[in-house]
Coordinates of all heavy atoms in Angstrom, one line a residue:
V212 N 21.0 16.1 38.4 CA 20.3 17.3 38.3 C 19.4 17.6 39.6 O 18.8 16.7 40.1 CB 19.4 17.3 37.1 CG1 18.5 18.5 37.0 CG2 20.2 17.2 35.8
D213 N 19.5 18.8 40.1 CA 18.5 19.2 41.1 C 17.6 20.3 40.5 O 18.0 21.2 39.8 CB 19.3 19.8 42.3 CG 20.1 18.8 43.1 OD1 19.6 17.7 43.3 OD2 21.2 19.1 43.4
A214 N 16.3 20.1 40.8 CA 15.3 21.0 40.2 C 15.5 22.4 40.7 O 15.9 22.7 41.8 CB 13.9 20.5 40.6
Q215 N 15.2 23.4 39.8 CA 15.3 24.8 40.1 C 13.9 25.4 40.0 O 13.1 25.0 39.2 CB 16.2 25.5 39.1 CG 17.6 25.0 39.0 CD 18.4 25.1 40.3 OE1 18.4 26.2 40.9 NE2 19.1 24.1 40.8
W216 N 13.6 26.4 40.9 CA 12.3 27.0 40.9 C 12.2 28.1 39.8 O 13.2 28.8 39.5 CB 12.0 27.6 42.2 CG 11.8 26.6 43.3 CD1 12.6 26.4 44.4 CD2 10.6 25.8 43.5 NE1 12.0 25.4 45.2 CE2 10.8 25.0 44.7 CE3 9.4 25.6 42.7 CZ2 9.9 24.1 45.1 CZ3 8.5 24.7 43.2 CH2 8.7 24.0 44.4
L217 N 11.1 28.2 39.2 CA 10.8 29.2 38.2 C 9.5 29.9 38.5 O 8.5 29.1 38.8 CB 10.8 28.7 36.8 CG 10.4 29.7 35.7 CD1 11.5 30.7 35.4 CD2 10.1 28.9 34.4
R218 N 9.4 31.2 38.6 CA 8.1 31.8 38.9 C 7.4 32.1 37.6 O 7.9 32.8 36.7 CB 8.4 33.1 39.6 CG 7.1 33.9 40.0 CD 7.3 34.7 41.3 NE 7.6 33.9 42.4 CZ 7.7 34.3 43.7 NH1 7.6 35.6 43.9 NH2 8.0 33.5 44.7
L219 N 6.2 31.5 37.4 CA 5.4 31.8 36.2 C 4.6 33.0 36.4 O 4.0 33.2 37.5 CB 4.6 30.5 35.9 CG 5.1 29.6 34.8 CD1 6.4 28.9 35.3 CD2 4.1 28.6 34.3
F251 N 2.7 31.5 40.1 CA 3.1 30.4 41.1 C 4.5 30.0 40.7 O 5.0 30.3 39.6 CB 2.1 29.2 41.0 CG 2.1 28.5 39.7 CD1 2.8 27.3 39.6 CD2 1.5 28.9 38.6 CE1 2.8 26.5 38.4 CE2 1.5 28.2 37.4 CZ 2.2 27.0 37.3
D252 N 5.1 29.3 41.6 CA 6.5 28.7 41.4 C 6.3 27.3 40.9 O 5.5 26.5 41.5 CB 7.3 28.8 42.6 CG 7.7 30.2 43.0 OD1 7.7 31.1 42.2 OD2 7.9 30.4 44.2
V253 N 7.2 26.8 40.0 CA 7.2 25.5 39.5 C 8.6 25.0 39.2 O 9.5 25.9 38.9 CB 6.3 25.3 38.2 CG1 6.9 26.1 37.1 CG2 6.1 23.9 37.9
S254 N 8.9 23.8 39.5 CA 10.2 23.3 39.2 C 10.4 23.2 37.7 O 9.6 22.7 36.9 CB 10.4 21.9 39.8 OG 9.5 20.9 39.4
T255 N 11.6 23.6 37.2 CA 11.9 23.6 35.8 C 12.0 22.2 35.2 O 11.9 22.1 34.0 CB 13.1 24.5 35.5 OG1 14.2 23.9 36.2 CG2 12.9 25.9 35.9
T256 N 12.3 21.3 36.1 CA 12.5 19.9 35.6 C 11.7 19.0 36.5 O 11.2 19.3 37.6 CB 14.0 19.4 35.8 OG1 14.4 19.7 37.1 CG2 14.9 20.2 34.8
L257 N 11.4 17.8 35.9 CA 10.8 16.7 36.7 C 11.7 16.3 37.8 O 12.9 16.4 37.7 CB 10.4 15.6 35.8 CG 9.4 15.9 34.7 CD1 9.5 14.8 33.6 CD2 8.0 15.9 35.2
I258 N 11.2 15.8 38.9 CA 12.0 15.3 40.0 C 12.7 14.0 39.5 O 12.1 13.1 39.0 CB 11.1 15.0 41.2 CG1 10.4 16.3 41.7 CG2 12.0 14.4 42.3 CD1 11.4 17.4 42.0
T259 N 14.0 14.0 39.7 CA 14.9 12.9 39.2 C 15.0 11.8 40.2 O 14.7 11.9 41.3 CB 16.3 13.5 38.9 OG1 16.9 13.9 40.1 CG2 16.2 14.7 37.9
E262 N 17.3 13.0 43.0 CA 16.6 13.8 44.0 C 15.7 12.9 44.9 O 15.7 13.1 46.1 CB 15.7 14.8 43.3 CG 16.5 15.9 42.7 CD 15.7 16.9 41.9 OE1 15.1 16.5 40.9 OE2 15.5 18.0 42.4
D319 N 19.8 11.0 36.4 CA 19.2 12.3 36.0 C 18.0 12.2 35.1 O 17.5 13.1 34.6 CB 20.2 13.2 35.3 CG 20.9 12.5 34.1 OD1 20.7 11.3 33.9 OD2 21.6 13.2 33.4
P321 N 13.8 11.2 35.1 CA 12.7 11.4 36.1 C 12.4 10.1 36.9 O 12.4 9.0 36.3 CB 11.5 11.8 35.3 CG 11.8 11.3 33.9 CD 13.3 11.4 33.7
M336 N 9.8 17.7 51.3 CA 10.5 19.0 50.9 C 10.0 20.1 51.8 O 10.8 21.0 52.2 CB 10.2 19.2 49.5 CG 11.0 18.4 48.5 SD 10.9 19.1 46.8 CE 11.8 20.6 47.0
V346 N 5.5 23.1 49.6 CA 5.6 22.4 48.3 C 4.5 21.5 48.1 O 4.0 20.8 49.0 CB 7.0 21.7 48.3 CG1 7.2 21.0 46.9 CG2 8.1 22.7 48.6
R347 N 4.0 21.4 46.8 CA 2.9 20.5 46.5 C 3.0 20.1 45.0 O 3.9 20.5 44.3 CB 1.6 21.3 46.7 CG 1.6 22.6 46.0 CD 0.3 23.4 46.1 NE 0.3 24.7 45.5 CZ 0.2 24.9 44.2 NH1 0.1 23.9 43.3 NH2 0.2 26.2 43.7
P349 N 1.5 20.3 41.2 CA 0.8 21.3 40.4 C -0.7 20.9 40.2 O -1.0 19.7 40.3 CB 1.5 21.4 39.1 CG 2.8 20.7 39.3 CD 2.6 19.7 40.4
W354 N -0.6 23.0 35.2 CA 0.0 22.3 34.1 C -0.3 23.0 32.8 O 0.6 23.2 32.0 CB -0.4 20.9 34.1 CG 0.2 20.1 32.9 CD1 1.4 19.5 32.9 CD2 -0.4 20.0 31.6 NE1 1.6 19.0 31.6 CE2 0.5 19.3 30.8 CE3 -1.6 20.4 31.0 CZ2 0.3 19.0 29.5 CZ3 -1.9 20.1 29.7 CH2 -0.9 19.4 28.9
F357 N 2.1 26.1 32.5 CA 3.5 26.0 32.2 C 3.7 25.3 30.9 O 4.8 25.3 30.3 CB 4.3 25.4 33.4 CG 4.1 24.0 33.7 CD1 4.5 23.0 32.9 CD2 3.5 23.7 35.0 CE1 4.3 21.6 33.3 CE2 3.3 22.4 35.4 CZ 3.7 21.4 34.5
S358 N 2.7 24.6 30.4 CA 2.8 23.9 29.1 C 2.2 24.7 27.9 O 2.3 24.2 26.8 CB 2.2 22.5 29.1 OG 0.8 22.6 29.3
F374 N 10.6 16.6 22.1 CA 10.0 15.9 23.2 C 10.1 14.4 23.1 O 10.0 13.9 22.0 CB 8.5 16.3 23.4 CG 8.3 17.8 23.7 CD1 7.6 18.6 22.9 CD2 8.9 18.3 24.9 CE1 7.4 20.0 23.2 CE2 8.7 19.6 25.2 CZ 8.0 20.5 24.4
P385 N 17.2 11.7 30.4 CA 17.5 12.7 31.4 C 16.7 14.0 31.2 O 16.3 14.4 30.1 CB 19.0 13.0 31.0 CG 19.5 11.7 30.5 CD 18.3 11.1 29.7
V386 N 16.4 14.6 32.4 CA 15.4 15.7 32.4 C 15.8 16.9 31.6 O 14.9 17.8 31.4 CB 15.0 16.0 33.8 CG1 14.3 14.8 34.5 CG2 16.2 16.5 34.6
R387 N 17.0 17.1 31.3 CA 17.4 18.4 30.6 C 17.7 18.1 29.1 O 18.3 19.0 28.5 CB 18.6 19.0 31.3 CG 18.3 19.7 32.6 CD 19.5 20.4 33.2 NE 19.1 21.0 34.5 CZ 20.0 21.6 35.3 NH1 21.3 21.4 35.0 NH2 19.6 22.2 36.4
T388 N 17.2 17.0 28.6 CA 17.5 16.7 27.2 C 16.3 17.1 26.3 O 16.5 17.1 25.1 CB 17.8 15.2 27.0 OG1 16.7 14.4 27.6 CG2 19.1 14.8 27.7
S389 N 15.2 17.4 26.8 CA 14.1 17.8 26.0 C 14.2 19.3 25.6 O 14.9 20.1 26.2 CB 12.7 17.6 26.7 OG 12.5 18.7 27.6
V390 N 13.4 19.7 24.6 CA 13.3 21.1 24.2 C 12.7 21.9 25.4 O 11.8 21.3 26.1 CB 12.5 21.3 22.9 CG1 11.1 20.8 23.1 CG2 12.6 22.7 22.4
K391 N 13.1 23.1 25.6 CA 12.5 23.9 26.7 C 11.4 24.8 26.1 O 11.4 25.1 24.9 CB 13.6 24.8 27.3 CG 14.6 24.1 28.1 CD 15.5 25.1 28.9 CE 16.3 26.0 28.0 NZ 17.2 26.9 28.8
T392 N 10.5 25.1 27.0 CA 9.5 26.1 26.6 C 10.2 27.5 26.7 O 11.3 27.6 27.2 CB 8.3 26.2 27.6 OG1 8.8 26.7 28.9 CG2 7.7 24.8 27.8
P393 N 9.6 28.5 26.1 CA 10.3 29.8 26.1 C 10.6 30.3 27.5 O 11.5 31.1 27.7 CB 9.3 30.7 25.4 CG 8.6 29.8 24.4 CD 8.5 28.5 25.2
L394 N 9.8 29.9 28.5 CA 10.0 30.3 29.9 C 11.0 29.5 30.6 O 11.5 29.8 31.7 CB 8.7 30.3 30.6 CG 7.6 31.4 30.2 CD1 6.4 31.3 31.1 CD2 8.2 32.8 30.3
G395 N 11.4 28.3 30.0 CA 12.5 27.6 30.6 C 12.1 26.3 31.2 O 12.8 25.7 32.0
I396 N 10.9 25.7 30.9 CA 10.4 24.5 31.5 C 10.8 23.3 30.6 O 10.6 23.2 29.4 CB 8.9 24.5 31.6 CG1 8.4 25.6 32.5 CG2 8.4 23.1 32.1 CD1 8.8 25.5 33.9
H397 N 11.5 22.3 31.2 CA 11.9 21.1 30.5 C 10.7 20.1 30.7 O 10.1 20.0 31.7 CB 13.2 20.5 31.1 CG 14.4 21.2 30.7 ND1 15.1 21.1 29.5 CD2 15.1 22.2 31.4 CE1 16.1 21.8 29.5 NE2 16.2 22.5 30.6
D398 N 10.5 19.2 29.7 CA 9.5 18.2 29.8 C 8.2 18.7 30.2 O 7.5 18.1 31.0 CB 10.0 17.1 30.8 CG 11.2 16.3 30.3 OD1 11.3 16.0 29.1 OD2 12.1 16.0 31.1
A399 N 7.8 19.8 29.6 CA 6.4 20.3 29.8 C 5.5 19.2 29.4 O 4.4 19.0 30.0 CB 6.2 21.6 29.1
V400 N 5.8 18.5 28.3 CA 5.1 17.3 27.9 C 6.1 16.2 27.6 O 7.3 16.5 27.3 CB 4.2 17.6 26.6 CG1 3.2 18.6 26.9 CG2 5.1 18.0 25.5
G401 N 5.7 15.0 27.7 CA 6.5 13.9 27.3 C 7.5 13.4 28.4 O 7.5 13.9 29.5
N402 N 8.2 12.4 28.1 CA 9.2 11.7 28.9 C 8.4 10.7 29.9 O 8.5 9.5 29.7 CB 10.1 12.7 29.7 CG 11.5 12.1 29.8 OD1 11.9 11.1 29.2 ND2 12.4 12.8 30.5
Q405 N 2.8 13.2 34.2 CA 2.9 14.0 35.4 C 1.7 13.9 36.3 O 0.6 14.3 35.9 CB 3.2 15.5 35.0 CG 4.5 15.6 34.2 CD 4.8 17.0 33.7 OE1 4.7 17.9 34.6 NE2 5.1 17.2 32.5
F468 N 6.6 13.3 38.4 CA 6.0 14.5 38.9 C 7.0 15.7 38.9 O 8.2 15.4 38.9 CB 5.4 14.3 40.2 CG 6.4 14.1 41.4 CD1 6.7 15.1 42.2 CD2 7.0 12.8 41.5 CE1 7.6 14.9 43.3 CE2 7.9 12.6 42.5 CZ 8.2 13.6 43.4
R469 N 6.5 16.9 39.0 CA 7.3 18.0 39.3 C 6.7 18.7 40.5 O 5.5 18.3 40.9 CB 7.5 19.0 38.1 CG 6.2 19.7 37.7 CD 6.5 20.6 36.5 NE 6.8 19.9 35.3 CZ 7.9 20.0 34.6 NH1 8.9 20.8 35.0 NH2 8.1 19.4 33.5
T470 N 7.3 19.7 41.0 CA 6.8 20.4 42.2 C 6.3 21.8 41.9 O 6.7 22.4 41.0 CB 7.8 20.4 43.3 OG1 9.1 20.9 42.8 CG2 8.1 19.0 43.8
A471 N 5.4 22.3 42.8 CA 4.9 23.6 42.7 C 4.7 24.2 44.0 O 4.7 23.5 45.1 CB 3.6 23.6 41.9
R472 N 4.6 25.5 44.1 CA 4.2 26.2 45.4 C 3.5 27.5 45.1 O 3.8 28.2 44.1 CB 5.5 26.4 46.3 CG 6.5 27.2 45.7 CD 7.8 27.2 46.5 NE 8.8 28.1 46.0 CZ 10.1 28.2 46.4 NH1 10.5 27.3 47.3 NH2 10.9 29.0 45.8

Side-chain angles (χ1 to χ4, degrees):
V212 174
D213 291 318
Q215 303 296 314
W216 290 108
L217 175 70
R218 182 152 296 181
L219 260 69
F251 67 101
D252 292 336
V253 66
S254 59
T255 58
T256 53
L257 296 162
I258 299 304
T259 65
E262 290 174 291
D319 53 350
M336 281 192 70
V346 179
R347 54 177 174 77
W354 176 86
F357 68 71
S358 66
F374 292 120
V386 295
R387 287 184 177 168
T388 54
S389 77
V390 63
K391 292 191 296 185
T392 69
L394 293 179
I396 301 292
H397 289 276
D398 294 318
V400 298
N402 219 4
Q405 300 180 44
F468 67 103
R469 66 178 73 239
T470 52
R472 60 189 184 191

